[in-house]
């Protein structure tokens, strides 16, 4: 991160406009650490308010006028940004990412009230706390199996080729 920081600051102090930075954060890949470092590069008002793919319409993931786009965002709009943009992501061993995501959901679900867990937006957390690991990964209806497939089975491949975090319908 040090070289990115030096390059960005050198561009900024050299009188040219620094490039737009795009960090599509793949869940459970140390993205919070990267995000904190990126926040040191640009003022808060230059940081896009869209932090997750659910915060904006599918075609509005990268609203114009910002210098930093970072979070669990779709990157379908990348080509609408200036050509000198700098885009990167972080990968992790897929098995470690799957285990980390699964146990993260269990920890986060434990913090929620029964009412919060009952909402459609918390289907994954409700399910992870109410069924066995086998049933979580291999059970459920067709929509649930699509969610598991989209979020666990070759997540990197689907995200990097479609430029979207696929959604549970």
């Amino acid at each position: 991160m040090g070289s990115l920081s030096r390059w960005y600051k050198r561009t900024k102090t050299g009188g040219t406009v620094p490039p737009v930075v795009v960090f599509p954060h793949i869940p459970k890949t140390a993205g919070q650490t990267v995000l904190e470092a990126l926040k040191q590069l640009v003022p808060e008002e230059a940081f896009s308010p869209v932090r997750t793919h659910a915060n904006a319409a599918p075609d509005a993931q990268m609203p114009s006028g910002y210098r930093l786009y970072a979070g669990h965002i779709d990157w379908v709009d990348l080509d609408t940004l200036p050509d000198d943009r700098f885009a990167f992501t972080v990968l992790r061993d897929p098995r470690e990412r799957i285990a980390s995501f699964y146990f993260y959901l269990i920890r986060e679900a434990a913090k929620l009230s029964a009412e919060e867990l009952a909402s459609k937006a918390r289907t994954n957390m409700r399910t992870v706390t109410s069924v066995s690991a086998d049933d979580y990964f291999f059970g459920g209806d067709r929509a649930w199996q699509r969610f598991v497939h989209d979020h666990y089975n070759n997540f990197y491949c689907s995200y990097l080729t479609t430029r979207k975090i696929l959604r549970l319908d």
Side-chain angles (χ1 to χ4, degrees), residues 135-151:
D135 286 340
Y136 179 83
F137 288 107
F138 305 110
D141 62 17
R142 189 177 183 95
W144 179 255
Q145 280 304 302
R146 189 171 73 226
F147 168 81
V148 169
H149 183 270
D150 291 346
H151 287 80

Side-chain angles (χ1 to χ4, degrees), residues 47-73:
F47 191 175
S48 168
V50 178
R51 298 300 194 318
T52 70
H53 64 283
N55 290 138
D59 61 346
Q61 296 287 302
M62 296 178 185
S64 64
Y66 296 96
R67 306 301 307 161
L68 176 60
Y69 300 87
H72 298 299
I73 56 175

Side-chain angles (χ1 to χ4, degrees), residues 77-153:
D77 297 335
L78 184 67
D79 296 333
T80 67
L81 299 176
D83 289 339
D84 68 342
R85 65 192 175 265
F86 177 78
F88 71 102
T89 195
V90 176
L91 304 178
R92 181 178 183 183
D93 178 301
R95 292 170 296 193
E96 290 180 13
R97 194 190 74 78
I98 288 169
S100 179
F101 188 47
Y102 178 77
F103 290 113
Y104 165 81
L105 291 176
I106 291 171
R107 284 191 311 275
E108 292 302 305
K111 297 175 186 176
L112 300 176
S113 69
E115 294 79 29
E116 290 170 311
L117 274 177
S119 76
K120 183 177 180 185
R122 301 295 187 189
T123 300
N124 56 350
M125 290 185 185
R126 183 175 58 257
T127 304
V128 80
T129 61
S130 62
V131 301
S132 69
D134 279 348
D135 286 340
Y136 179 83
F137 288 107
F138 305 110
D141 62 17
R142 189 177 183 95
W144 179 255
Q145 280 304 302
R146 189 171 73 226
F147 168 81
V148 169
H149 183 270
D150 291 346
H151 287 80
Y152 293 99
N153 184 17

Side-chain angles (χ1 to χ4, degrees), residues 75-76 157-166:
W75 55 289
V76 294
C157 291
S158 65
Y159 184 61
L160 296 173
T161 58
T162 66
R163 297 184 173 195
K164 296 189 272 188
I165 296 174
L166 302 175

